[in-house]
Amino acid sequence: MEQRIVVIGAGHAGGAAAITLRELGFSGSLTLVGEEAEHPYERPSLSKAYLSGKDSAPVYLAEESRWSELGVDLRLGVAAASIERESRTVTLSDGTALPYDQLILATGGAPRELPFRAHPRIFPLRTTGDAKAIAAAARPGGRAVVIGGGVIGLETASTLHELGLTAIVIEAGQRLLGRNVPGDAAGWLAAAHARVGVEIRLGRSVAAIGAGDETLTLTLDDGSTLEADLVVVGIGIVPRAGLAEAAGLPVGAGVLVDETYRSIGDANVYAIGDLALRRFGDAAAPQRMETWAHAQSSARAAALAILGLPAEAEPTPWFWTAQCGHNLQILGDPAAGDTVVARGEATRLYLRDGVLVGAACLDQPRDFASARRLIGKVLKADLAGDPGTDLRKAAA
């Protein structure tokens, strides 16, 4: 009997899983279900080139005709309503029942919301529709407040400034990018924003938002107020694990999976991308990764496992962000280092017992490429810290 695979979630991870399954030789029935009407696309450009209007379309994973060539049954603009694991059936919001032999969950996350009443000038940024709405409200000379000093918030503030708005970032933490970027690297980006005129307010939160006829008034926790023409909320995502939880799958802050992204509660179900909650390396607890690279690598790992093909070596985690004319790249796990090696003004190497475990590079693509080759190797710290020496020569 022909094997049937259903992928729920037609974002980057889900789309990549479908493409990879075909490229690896899967010839059975393959259905990709997505709530958005858009064909699968990558999200990084939404806060940058797509928001600014430089790109008229998001970065699609494949041309529309390619999906037909691959024989992928695209069900767009429809949601999965329930999973019946005993009968291996997914029921869609339009009443359609899809039987499956293997199920891949790639439902990602929903933007975390503020505890205030919704308003048409308060925007999340997760989809092409969100980006279009922000762009329509972003008039040159306008005032924008971005709540959240993480990657999405800072990229959005940078783009809005580029579009001719004044931008203020409100961050509750004592520094920017506190969750996944080392302190030095966060400082580089803070300085870059300051140079172009983006104001950063640290250690502040929004206590209330009032709506006038034309503007919004934000009251901060210290009593100060800000007037804004639009507000963008970038305070993270909540994993969309409700469908899995309702089906009785083990969940936490995501769907719990093993190293092949198979659910620990059902051998016929996988979870990938932002939704997957797993233990990486020797980490003490399972975690999620919300990066472009992880969407790709988790999709491939699940496809290999489903097809019974040998697992591949796990790529070292990495991500990048472009802001205020600069490109910051982060590799590995800088927090695991016990020694920081400063290589000039814009590269930091993180060693543990002399072994390279992480790196942060601002506008240093050559150093970053070398660090990717050297990750996991012992480095000579004196040579590694000399920007005039090829980093590859620092390998012990």
Side-chain angles (χ1 to χ4, degrees):
M1 182 179 294
E2 182 182 65
Q3 288 291 298
R4 302 159 299 184
I5 298 177
V6 173
V7 183
I8 300 177
H12 183 175
I19 292 171
T20 303
L21 283 163
R22 286 296 193 226
E23 290 178 342
L24 291 174
F26 178 69
S27 59
S29 168
L30 182 55
T31 303
L32 181 59
V33 179
E35 292 184 22
E36 291 184 68
E38 292 269 17
H39 283 68
Y41 60 87
E42 300 176 5
R43 298 192 187 276
S45 73
L46 297 187
S47 53
K48 298 187 284 294
Y50 186 68
L51 176 60
S52 71
K54 291 179 180 177
D55 289 349
S56 59
V59 179
Y60 291 110
L61 269 68
E63 296 292 335
E64 188 171 341
S65 60
R66 178 65 172 151
W67 296 103
S68 298
E69 293 171 4
L70 291 170
V72 177
D73 179 10
L74 284 176
R75 306 289 184 96
L76 301 178
V78 63
S82 64
I83 301 167
E84 176 48 61
R85 290 165 53 207
E86 187 172 346
S87 64
R88 296 189 194 172
T89 303
V90 175
T91 300
L92 305 185
S93 56
D94 63 3
T96 302
L98 298 176
Y100 68 84
D101 295 295
Q102 303 287 338
L103 177 65
I104 300 177
L105 302 178
T107 49
R112 195 178 299 277
E113 298 179 353
L114 294 172
F116 308 124
R117 181 179 300 177
H119 188 277
R121 287 184 173 272
I122 301 177
F123 303 95
L125 180 50
R126 185 68 175 172
T127 67
T128 56
D130 296 334
K132 289 176 183 176
I134 295 170
R139 306 294 176 85
R143 300 161 297 179
V145 172
V146 178
I147 302 174
V151 170
I152 296 299
L154 291 174
E155 288 181 350
T156 301
S158 173
T159 301
L160 292 174
H161 179 271
E162 181 184 329
L163 290 172
L165 288 80
T166 60
I168 298 177
V169 176
I170 307 299
E171 166 55 42
Q174 294 305 310
R175 72 168 178 88
L176 299 175
L177 300 156
R179 189 165 66 90
N180 53 7
V181 171
D184 281 359
W188 297 335
L189 290 182
H193 280 269
R195 283 194 295 270
V196 301
V198 174
E199 182 181 349
I200 307 289
R201 297 200 185 184
L202 299 174
R204 296 273 68 89
S205 60
V206 178
I209 301 180
D213 292 337
E214 299 292 334
T215 63
L216 298 167
T217 301
L218 291 80
T219 302
L220 306 188
D221 58 345
D222 62 356
S224 62
T225 60
L226 296 171
E227 301 294 319
D229 300 299
L230 71 152
V231 172
V232 180
V233 181
I235 54 175
I237 64 170
V238 178
R240 300 180 65 191
L243 189 67
E245 185 174 18
L249 293 168
V251 302
V255 176
L256 286 157
V257 296
D258 65 16
E259 67 278 0
T260 68
Y261 294 89
R262 180 184 281 115
S263 165
I264 65 171
D266 190 327
N268 300 304
V269 179
Y270 293 74
I272 60 176
D274 294 352
L275 184 67
L277 180 63
R278 58 157 289 196
R279 185 171 279 105
F280 292 89
D282 58 0
Q287 61 192 83
R288 293 185 305 106
M289 285 195 181
E290 301 170 11
T291 67
W292 180 96
H294 181 248
Q296 291 284 128
S297 62
S298 62
R300 184 169 182 85
L304 290 167
I306 288 172
L307 299 179
L309 297 174
E312 296 175 348
E314 185 139 14
T316 301
W318 67 277
F319 71 94
W320 64 277
T321 178
Q323 303 172 26
C324 304
H326 297 278
N327 188 299
L328 175 68
Q329 295 169 296
I330 304 293
L331 174 70
D333 184 9
D338 55 30
T339 302
V340 181
V341 176
R343 181 177 168 82
E345 294 298 319
T347 294
R348 296 292 181 271
L349 305 171
Y350 300 87
L351 311 182
R352 183 174 63 196
D353 298 328
V355 175
L356 182 66
V357 295
C361 302
L362 184 72
D363 302 326
Q364 302 296 322
R366 185 171 298 178
D367 276 356
F368 186 76
S370 296
R372 290 188 72 179
R373 297 187 189 98
L374 295 172
I375 197 80
K377 298 182 182 298
V378 175
L379 297 189
K380 299 175 182 176
D382 55 341
L383 290 179
D386 179 5
T389 299
D390 188 325
L391 182 55
R392 292 171 294 181
K393 296 182 179 179

